[in-house]
Amino acid sequence: MESAHNLAIDTILIGDKPLTEFSQTLPIDSEFLKMLEMNLETLSQFLEERILDNPFVEMDYHLEQFTETLQEASRQHSLNLKNELNEELEDGSEVEQIRVQQSLEGYLYEQIMLYRQTPIRDVMMLLVELLDEKGYLPYTTTELSERLGVDEMTVLDGLTLFKGLEPTGIGGYDVREVMMLQADQDALAPLFAYEILDQYYDDFINQKYDKIQSHLGMSEQEFEACLHYYQTLRYVPADLFAVKSKGHSIPDIRIIQEKHQLKIQYHRQAAARVCFNESYYKEMSVVNDPELAVYLTEQTDKYNQLARKIRLREELLMALVQVLVHEQSDFFSRVSNNVKPLTVKTIADIMKIPEGYIYRILLNKKIEFNHHIYPISNFINLMYSVGREGLSAFNIKSKIVEILSHSQKDLTNTEVVNLLRVEGIMISPKLVSLYRKSM
């Protein structure tokens, strides 16, 4: 019988061999992809319902002990946050508060600020404000030109660069373009994945698969690979930094520092444990009943399929956090209070799996470190990346702090923008507002 949990990787030491081999190849089905997006709490709720029709599957979940753990974690988090908010680093520089939730707008602005200040970059800044709640830009180039009061060629150039930002698919006109952007920018996308969406989308939607295969000269295996790949794509690019719940801060992973050694620990105490009731199965299997024998086989197969998905989900989450901690080693080793630039693409390249999986692993997950609980997506940032003009988003944020602290009156966002323009820094009032909220 399959084991639903890989306890051998419950604790990983930094410096251990990277987790690049998993217990099975990545399955491409809707259930596994949904499970990948779940955190410990929602996964436990899902599993409770999922195993109801299988009398041989049991789930161990110590809810009372789990709640006490959460309450203590929340209490420690609040106490430490109050104590540390005004701390300074030894060199006297201000502590950057990573505890502030990373936002879609903030991450987009961080990327845009890496470009040289031009009318094209100005267009990119304005496009952030036109995104709908899903991260789409449902406007034609002509409509955007009229809205922004900018010529169509400049809008087109800005739009093209904007659609190359992360999260991949951002700024797509519709579902089709969001899918195309992901396939086009994914080095691991199957052959023909982009072409089908680009040239045969209507045929694909109408399931004219034979026509597509014939026109593109595709084999059945190549076409199946594309079908499976499309299931991994995301239709809501804005989801990465969305706050789904205001409830308990439940860490999926703990980062522990012991004697100058960092450990990554799966939060097994808070996780549901699924197992197969072997004794009951053996008791039933001795009954001489052909229908019962078929039923036993079916239930065993269902359990094994679910167990493989649970185990692989845990392995992928641990592997991603291992990469994240390695890339952000200065922060977790307390050498620095600031996180380094890190993108989804970087993680996907290191793990050598499609970006669609990385986004799903990042969604809704939290880690606990030094009595603080962080959304994992907070570590996806470019706050300290220096652009072509020698400035980073952090530099600009510091300038805003300086302007506000030296002002004799309360300044509006537009007034701050005008003062920054005097110093040659061109940003939007929306970005000033975003930074002020995070201070």
Side-chain angles (χ1 to χ4, degrees):
M1 212 65 62
E2 297 271 358
S3 171
H5 309 286
N6 187 352
L7 302 182
I9 62 164
D10 267 14
T11 300
I12 300 174
L13 298 178
I14 298 304
D16 284 353
K17 180 181 178 182
L19 293 176
T20 55
E21 296 182 2
F22 307 110
S23 56
Q24 62 171 324
T25 56
L26 295 177
I28 319 259
D29 67 34
S30 57
E31 182 177 69
F32 177 72
L33 294 173
K34 289 178 182 177
M35 290 172 63
L36 210 54
E37 296 180 5
M38 297 174 186
N39 56 29
L40 289 180
E41 185 177 24
T42 53
L43 180 65
S44 297
Q45 295 167 356
F46 165 79
L47 291 175
E48 281 183 326
E49 296 183 7
R50 179 68 167 74
I51 66 175
L52 282 177
D53 63 347
N54 194 330
F56 305 102
V57 182
E58 297 180 341
M59 191 172 91
D60 186 17
Y61 187 41
H62 300 291
L63 184 59
E64 292 182 3
Q65 182 180 3
F66 175 51
T67 303
E68 291 174 3
T69 301
L70 291 179
Q71 292 172 345
E72 176 63 17
S74 297
R75 188 183 71 82
Q76 289 293 335
H77 180 218
S78 299
L79 288 174
N80 282 277
L81 185 57
K82 289 178 183 178
N83 291 336
E84 293 183 16
L85 277 174
N86 297 318
E87 282 186 359
E88 294 183 349
L89 295 175
E90 292 181 2
D91 62 3
S93 62
E94 292 185 2
V95 174
E96 172 64 12
Q97 298 302 329
I98 189 178
R99 285 171 289 279
V100 175
Q101 174 77 35
Q102 173 69 293
S103 66
L104 174 67
E105 292 88 352
Y107 188 46
L108 291 173
Y109 283 133
E110 289 168 11
Q111 296 172 78
I112 295 169
M113 293 307 297
L114 298 179
Y115 289 88
R116 185 169 55 88
Q117 200 285 309
T118 64
I120 293 174
R121 193 190 77 173
D122 292 343
V123 167
M124 295 172 71
M125 299 284 280
L126 295 172
L127 291 177
V128 176
E129 303 178 32
L130 296 180
L131 290 170
D132 67 15
E133 67 279 0
K134 294 181 179 180
Y136 288 35
L137 277 173
Y139 309 100
T140 65
T141 304
T142 301
E143 290 171 337
L144 288 172
S145 176
E146 293 173 354
R147 272 176 167 266
L148 302 178
V150 180
D151 66 274
E152 286 195 30
M153 186 59 68
T154 302
V155 168
L156 182 60
D157 289 341
L159 190 59
T160 300
L161 292 177
F162 189 86
K163 291 177 180 178
L165 303 177
E166 289 189 357
T168 313
I170 198 72
Y173 180 82
D174 52 19
V175 171
R176 175 193 181 190
E177 188 175 19
V178 166
M179 295 174 68
M180 287 173 62
L181 288 169
Q182 293 176 72
D184 185 44
Q185 297 174 41
D186 186 357
L188 298 177
L191 186 66
F192 300 114
Y194 179 85
E195 283 78 5
I196 292 174
L197 298 171
D198 183 36
Q199 302 173 31
Y200 299 96
Y201 185 72
D202 289 338
D203 291 325
F204 177 73
I205 293 298
N206 294 313
Q207 299 184 9
K208 296 181 180 179
Y209 299 155
D210 291 339
K211 175 183 176 181
I212 297 173
Q213 289 180 247
S214 175
H215 282 208
L216 289 176
M218 299 176 66
S219 67
E220 187 69 29
Q221 186 176 7
E222 289 172 329
F223 189 72
E224 285 292 329
C226 291
L227 290 179
H228 291 159
Y229 176 73
Y230 294 146
Q231 292 185 55
T232 72
L233 301 182
R234 297 160 297 102
Y235 306 122
V236 185
D239 260 0
L240 178 59
F241 301 108
V243 178
K244 296 290 186 181
S245 172
K246 297 292 184 181
H248 283 300
S249 292
I250 307 169
D252 299 80
I253 304 289
R254 286 171 163 166
I255 313 298
I256 302 170
Q257 189 170 31
E258 293 181 355
K259 298 179 180 179
H260 307 292
Q261 176 69 63
L262 282 172
K263 297 195 301 186
I264 303 171
Q265 194 171 78
Y266 191 79
H267 197 178
R268 187 64 64 190
Q269 179 187 6
R273 298 195 188 195
V274 174
C275 62
F276 193 82
N277 190 329
E278 294 275 4
S279 60
Y280 183 44
Y281 174 80
K282 290 177 181 178
E283 179 183 335
M284 297 298 291
S285 62
V286 298
V287 178
N288 187 15
D289 184 337
E291 290 186 3
L292 178 59
V294 172
Y295 176 76
L296 293 175
T297 300
E298 290 175 349
Q299 297 304 319
T300 301
D301 289 343
K302 287 181 180 179
Y303 164 77
N304 284 331
Q305 291 172 13
L306 179 63
R308 285 192 289 268
K309 293 174 184 177
I310 296 171
R311 188 172 67 246
L312 183 59
R313 177 195 171 278
E314 293 177 0
E315 292 171 352
L316 288 171
L317 178 56
M318 289 293 283
L320 183 144
V321 176
Q322 185 183 31
V323 170
L324 186 148
V325 173
H326 180 268
E327 294 297 308
Q328 303 289 4
S329 58
D330 284 354
F331 175 82
F332 289 106
S333 299
R334 306 188 194 184
V335 173
S336 170
N337 278 55
N338 303 326
V339 296
K340 292 182 178 179
L342 184 63
T343 65
V344 173
K345 186 179 187 307
T346 300
I347 297 175
D349 288 344
I350 293 172
M351 293 182 66
K352 295 181 172 56
I353 64 174
E355 289 184 30
Y357 286 98
I358 303 299
Y359 280 105
R360 283 182 165 82
I361 301 167
L362 288 168
L363 281 174
N364 310 316
K365 312 298 189 307
K366 295 179 181 178
I367 60 174
E368 179 184 346
F369 172 66
N370 193 26
H371 303 296
H372 295 293
I373 296 173
Y374 309 93
I376 294 183
S377 57
N378 268 21
F379 296 90
I380 305 300
N381 83 100
L382 290 168
M383 174 66 73
Y384 296 93
S385 290
V386 178
R388 296 184 182 181
E389 297 173 333
L391 288 172
S392 67
F394 179 72
N395 296 143
I396 295 170
K397 189 173 180 179
S398 298
K399 287 279 188 183
I400 294 173
V401 171
E402 183 180 340
I403 289 172
L404 294 174
S405 63
H406 289 116
S407 175
Q408 300 297 318
K409 64 169 186 172
D410 290 336
L411 298 174
T412 66
N413 295 332
T414 301
E415 288 173 329
V416 174
V417 167
N418 292 334
L419 290 172
L420 288 170
R421 186 179 290 116
V422 173
E423 299 187 39
I425 301 173
M426 310 291 287
I427 64 172
S428 70
K430 178 78 176 287
L431 180 55
V432 173
S433 174
L434 186 70
Y435 284 165
R436 291 179 81 163
K437 288 178 182 178
S438 70
M439 292 174 188

